Amino acid sequence: MAPLPKEQEDAEYMMDRNRALDPPTSHRVKPRSTTIDNTITRPGAVRINVQGAFIVDDDATTPQPIDDAGALHDSQDIRLPHHTAVVSHVAVDIGGSLAKLVYFSREPASEELGGRLNFLKFETDDVEQCLEFINQLKGKQQRLNGSKPGELCVMATGGGAYKYYDRMKEVLGVEVLREDEMECLIIGLDFFITEIPNEVFTYRDVDPMHFAEARANVSPYLLVIIGSGVSMIKVSGPKQYQRIGGTSLGGGTLWGLLSLLTGARTFDEMLAMAEKGDNAAVDMLVGDIYGTDYGKIGLKSSTIASSFGKVFKMKRQAESDAEGGGGLVNGDGAQVDGVAVGKHNFAPEDMSRSLLYAISNNIGQIAYLQSEKHDLEHIYFGGSFIRGHRQTMNTLAYAIGFWSEGEKKAYFLRHEGYLGAVGAFLKRQPKNWGRRNSFEELTS
């Protein structure tokens, strides 16, 4: 089917948008058959209607129509109450640690208009389970979103879009389109900032989740993506971006070291241990050196002077005492100042919290320095490292506030791990979709 003339496309877009802004209340409006036909043959012509979109908070009825063993379904779906057109694609962002999947579904057993965006994640080591889930989506998409069976298209981004490309084509037997990772991240963040209420927030202990107002002029800003590693991207406009720095000390570092130091097997177990730990048991604090605050340079007694700084001192003291008293054999325990030391005597919870603070503080300070160097006021943090974990967010926020002397804030997202997947999902849309004022830009 040949592309529609621009004038006809614009006219259809205006009618679709006007119907969405003033929906009928007495009956359900079904999408026109021509719209469905165009959707299936030209999926890029789908216009997701975000009018009235909202996040579904902890909804126990969130649909899980497919057996998703091995997947974690994030309960914060995004409800799109006015979207009526068919959606014939899904998106997956395959990183070094996690594969994130986004797909659209209708409301099950409901006469209500619209549907929702669903969010799932798999460990990349279990990518075959992710592909099997998509395969089931392909077979059930008539019920999920109204499209014809077999008409599924997969939008893929992240390193795994290239590493597993041949495997995806083999297993799924559908069209797989690979999209640039950085561009998808920016498109996804732009969408969340401008279109989804109560998505972006700041965090402090005294004000855990303070939602930020939507901003029409999004750029410029610094985007900090914390996955297995860390990338810092200066965004000057929708397609104007530059990777200006990063660090190899990211989520993969925490995962790897805690796998060696503790018995935790998953990243979520590690975060749960960190929640219970006391980093002061292994970190050397300013108070350990000065006995109090060092107020002259603005350091509290609880400020970390050296991550894991107590470990060597305590272990060396224990070994010295053991040598004088008959020996410490093969990591046997000893007591120093009432604290047990030895090969296995530092609590896994304490080590988890210490390492989480070390990595988060390092990322926060580097992000601040990059924002200063490039004169960027807004700093957004995304990536699957954060996962809504309060110690992580508080540490990143504290680092930005401390080094900027309160002039800058760290901004977080409720769907921080899905920026790339959502961006890839939106790449299947026409030009200018997903930004406020795009209607005016399209018809001007």
Side-chain angles (χ1 to χ4, degrees):
M1 181 180 293
L4 294 175
K6 183 178 185 302
E7 293 78 12
Q8 186 176 347
E9 276 197 337
D10 292 350
E12 289 196 4
Y13 181 79
M14 292 172 67
M15 289 189 290
D16 288 343
R17 185 175 177 92
N18 288 337
R19 278 196 298 271
L21 292 174
D22 187 22
T25 56
S26 59
H27 63 282
R28 182 179 181 180
V29 176
K30 296 182 180 179
R32 295 169 301 167
S33 59
T34 54
T35 301
I36 296 177
D37 291 341
N38 286 341
T39 294
I40 293 171
T41 56
R42 298 193 302 120
V46 178
R47 293 175 171 88
I48 305 298
N49 190 327
V50 296
Q51 181 71 22
F54 63 91
I55 297 174
V56 182
D57 287 309
D58 299 323
D59 184 0
T61 64
T62 294
Q64 297 190 54
I66 299 173
D67 180 14
D68 54 351
L72 178 60
H73 188 292
D74 284 314
S75 60
Q76 295 177 339
D77 295 340
I78 293 179
R79 183 78 166 86
L80 301 171
H82 296 298
H83 182 75
T84 58
V86 175
V87 179
S88 57
H89 64 282
V90 302
V92 62
D93 175 10
I94 309 177
S97 302
L98 294 172
K100 288 78 64 177
L101 178 68
V102 175
Y103 68 94
F104 177 83
S105 66
R106 297 293 178 194
E107 292 299 290
S110 173
E111 290 300 314
E112 294 182 5
L113 289 172
R116 64 178 68 203
L117 292 180
N118 301 268
F119 302 86
L120 291 90
K121 57 192 172 194
F122 303 76
E123 290 190 10
T124 302
D125 288 344
D126 298 324
V127 71
E128 292 294 330
Q129 291 181 329
C130 178
L131 298 182
E132 177 57 28
F133 187 93
I134 298 174
N135 238 342
Q136 294 180 53
L137 282 179
K138 181 177 69 171
K140 295 177 180 289
Q141 72 181 103
Q142 174 70 34
R143 177 168 61 86
L144 288 174
N145 58 35
S147 61
K148 292 182 179 179
E151 292 290 345
L152 189 70
C153 172
V154 175
M155 308 295 291
T157 189
Y162 297 87
K163 182 176 181 179
Y164 299 106
Y165 177 75
D166 291 336
R167 183 60 179 162
M168 285 191 285
K169 295 278 289 184
E170 176 186 352
V171 172
L172 301 177
V174 299
E175 183 180 17
V176 178
L177 300 180
R178 292 174 289 189
E179 299 293 342
D180 179 76
E181 181 176 7
M182 294 299 175
E183 187 170 332
C184 287
L185 289 169
I186 294 163
I187 291 173
L189 177 58
D190 187 17
F191 169 76
F192 282 125
I193 293 174
T194 60
E195 302 294 350
I196 305 302
N198 296 337
E199 172 69 38
V200 180
F201 63 94
T202 57
Y203 187 94
R204 291 188 303 163
D205 277 340
V206 295
D207 187 13
M209 187 176 283
H210 181 78
F211 292 113
E213 296 292 332
R215 296 192 300 120
N217 298 319
V218 177
S219 306
Y221 60 82
L222 177 66
L223 173 57
V224 182
I225 295 296
I226 314 174
S228 299
V230 183
S231 286
M232 300 184 183
I233 309 165
K234 175 185 177 181
V235 181
S236 304
K239 291 190 177 181
Q240 297 177 316
Y241 59 90
Q242 176 188 5
R243 187 183 187 276
I244 56 178
T247 172
S248 62
L249 304 180
T253 308
L254 183 74
W255 199 334
L257 289 178
L258 290 184
S259 296
L260 297 174
L261 295 172
T262 73
R265 301 181 61 184
T266 69
F267 195 65
D268 289 316
E269 286 181 22
M270 296 170 188
L271 293 179
M273 286 197 304
E275 186 84 22
K276 302 174 184 176
D278 178 10
N279 68 297
V282 292
D283 290 344
M284 184 178 294
L285 309 181
V286 169
D288 295 321
I289 300 172
Y290 287 91
T292 184
D293 297 343
Y294 191 176
K296 188 174 182 179
I297 58 174
L299 298 178
K300 298 179 180 178
S301 62
S302 58
T303 301
I304 299 171
S306 175
S307 297
F308 281 76
K310 287 181 181 173
V311 174
F312 177 74
K313 179 181 178 181
M314 294 169 70
K315 189 171 185 298
R316 185 180 62 180
Q317 182 64 47
E319 291 170 347
S320 176
D321 291 348
E323 288 173 0
L328 183 66
V329 180
N330 292 330
D332 292 340
Q335 294 281 328
V336 176
D337 296 331
V339 179
V341 293
K343 187 175 181 180
H344 298 294
N345 291 306
F346 291 98
E349 294 83 1
D350 299 339
M351 292 187 290
S352 297
R353 190 146 184 165
S354 173
L355 191 58
L356 177 69
Y357 280 167
I359 292 174
S360 299
N361 272 317
N362 182 61
I363 294 171
Q365 184 174 9
I366 296 174
Y368 162 74
L369 292 173
Q370 291 287 7
S371 72
E372 283 292 287
K373 178 179 179 182
H374 295 274
D375 193 25
L376 300 171
E377 179 182 356
H378 294 87
I379 306 173
Y380 293 92
F381 288 90
S384 297
F385 172 77
I386 300 173
R387 301 199 187 192
H389 190 247
R390 66 185 189 89
Q391 271 94 14
T392 306
M393 293 188 294
N394 194 53
T395 305
L396 291 168
Y398 179 82
I400 297 300
F402 177 83
W403 292 109
S404 70
E405 297 182 345
E407 293 296 319
K408 297 184 179 182
K409 296 178 180 178
Y411 292 91
F412 304 97
L413 297 101
R414 297 170 73 180
H415 293 89
E416 77 281 313
Y418 292 93
L419 302 186
V422 169
F425 188 89
L426 301 183
K427 288 279 284 184
R428 197 65 170 163
Q429 310 304 324
K431 183 179 179 181
N432 288 328
W433 182 86
R435 290 182 57 84
R436 292 200 186 281
N437 302 318
S438 59
F439 173 64
E440 289 79 8
E441 292 169 4
L442 185 64
T443 57
S444 60

